[in-house]
Every structure is written in structure tokens, then in C-alpha cells.
């Protein structure tokens, strides 16, 4: 007389394989933990961006020039671009931040209709209205008497006020546009 297999070894093997598969899923946890592949992703646009009315603010950053850190009491410039998508000229009236005692504006503060004006940061050279060699006007905004040490990493609130468009406050990072030359 021959005995037929009862199916128990097959069921046990199937149960063991199912348990191992479930354990692997639970232990892997979709790799979502404190260290993910995207925790170090950096934006391709290094500065802050915003819009108030027809004025676009692009790639706005605090530019320490060749310095790595700006000491308390020191100066730092702003870099970036204002784009006026409106049908009338606008004007940058003021720039304020709790991190500076004073803000100096040099050059053209007018943002022409359907055009742009650049803040040159720490780049050397004259600033002013558009010319044949510079199609956009340029402006240097200098924060004088910074209230504390400024360094890359955190952002600092800066408020831009325009005559027609109004005001906008952006979180602005410190980022050198003129890196320290290699020696």
C-alpha cells in the first residue's frame, strides 16, 4: 500500500517563504529613514526668488565677495535680478533687514517696463543705467554695519520695497558670487 503525501511539507515551505518575504519588506521599510537619498539635494537656483505685483526677484543672495564669513559690524552686498513684467517703470525705494544698521543703494533704482535691473553684488565696476555695453541697468545694494556674524547656511530676511509693486520679504542666503581664487 502506498501513502499519498498529505501536503504538509509543501504548506510549511510556502508558509516559511511567505514569512521570509514579509520580514524582508518590513525590515527594508522602503529605505525611508533619517538618511534618504534626497536629504542632500540642493536647488539648482542658489538664491531666493519671489514676486510682488509685476516685479520678479530672481537669484537673490547676500554676496560676501571673497570672504567666507562677514563679521559683526562689517558690510555685505546683495546680488540678483529684478525683472519688471509690467507695462510701466517701477522703482526700488528701499531695502531693509534687521541684520544691518543701514542699507546703501548705488546706481539705477529704476526697473524699466518689460526689462530687468541687476544687483551686481561684490563685482567690481561702475553701476548705473543701461548703456550700449550694458543692456540692463545695474545697482549695488550694500548692507552696512551687520548686526551679527553672517555665514553660509542660514537665510536672513530682507525686505524690498518698490514704488508701485509694493513690498516683499525674502529669506536670503549668503553665497559668494566671486569665489576665493585657488592658490
Amino acid at each position: 500500500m502506498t501513502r499519498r503525501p498529505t501536503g504538509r511539507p509543501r504548506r510549511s515551505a510556502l508558509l516559511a517563504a511567505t514569512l521570509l518575504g514579509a520580514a524582508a519588506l518590513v525590515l527594508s521599510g522602503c529605505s525611508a529613514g533619517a538618511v534618504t537619498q534626497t536629504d542632500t539635494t540642493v536647488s539648482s537656483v542658489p538664491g531666493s526668488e519671489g514676486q510682488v505685483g509685476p516685479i520678479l526677484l530672481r537669484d537673490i543672495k547676500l554676496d560676501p565677495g571673497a570672504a567666507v564669513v562677514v563679521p559683526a559690524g562689517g558690510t555685505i552686498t546683495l546680488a540678483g535680478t529684478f525683472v519688471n513684467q509690467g507695462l510701466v517703470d517701477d522703482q526700488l525705494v528701499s531695502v531693509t533687514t534687521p541684520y544691518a544698521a543701514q542699507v546703501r543703494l548705488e546706481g539705477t533704482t529704476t526697473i524699466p517696463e518689460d526689462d530687468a535691473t541687476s544687483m551686481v553684488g561684490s563685482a567690481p565696476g561702475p553701476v548705473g543705467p543701461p548703456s550700449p555695453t550694458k543692456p540692463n541697468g545695474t545697482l549695488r545694494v550694500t548692507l552696512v554695519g551687520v548686526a551679527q556674524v553672517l555665514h553660509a547656511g542660514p537665510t536672513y530676511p530682507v525686505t524690498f520695497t518698490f514704488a508701485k509693486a509694493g513690498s516683499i520679504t525674502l529669506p536670503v542666503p549668503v553665497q559668494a558670487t566671486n569665489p576665493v581664487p585657488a592658490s
Side-chain angles (χ1 to χ4, degrees), residues 3-15:
R3 286 184 69 180
R4 294 206 296 177
T6 60
R8 282 191 187 256
R10 272 195 254 165
R11 279 190 224 162
S12 296
L14 183 59
L15 179 61

Side-chain angles (χ1 to χ4, degrees), residues 51-56 83-91 110-116 164-165:
Q51 180 172 356
V52 57
I55 303 293
L56 303 175
V83 180
N84 185 350
Q85 295 183 320
L87 300 175
V88 295
D89 294 357
D90 206 338
Q91 184 174 8
T110 300
I111 301 99
E113 64 172 294
D114 198 30
D115 208 347
K164 295 181 178 104

Side-chain angles (χ1 to χ4, degrees), residues 28-131:
S28 70
C30 301
S31 297
V35 179
T36 65
Q37 292 177 353
T38 58
D39 72 339
T40 56
T41 302
V42 177
S43 171
S44 61
V45 179
S48 290
E49 295 191 352
Q51 180 172 356
V52 57
I55 303 293
L56 303 175
L57 294 88
R58 295 290 179 248
D59 196 19
I60 306 297
K61 57 190 162 237
L62 290 161
D63 178 10
V68 176
V69 174
V70 178
T75 62
I76 189 169
T77 57
L78 281 161
T81 304
F82 303 123
V83 180
N84 185 350
Q85 295 183 320
L87 300 175
V88 295
D89 294 357
D90 206 338
Q91 184 174 8
L92 179 65
V93 176
S94 69
V95 176
T96 58
T97 179
Y99 291 95
Q102 177 187 3
V103 178
R104 269 195 327 250
L105 304 177
E106 303 171 62
T108 185
T109 56
T110 300
I111 301 99
E113 64 172 294
D114 198 30
D115 208 347
T117 297
S118 299
M119 290 187 295
V120 297
S122 64
V127 291
S131 68

Side-chain angles (χ1 to χ4, degrees), residues 19-29:
L19 288 174
L20 283 172
L25 285 175
V26 168
L27 292 175
S28 70

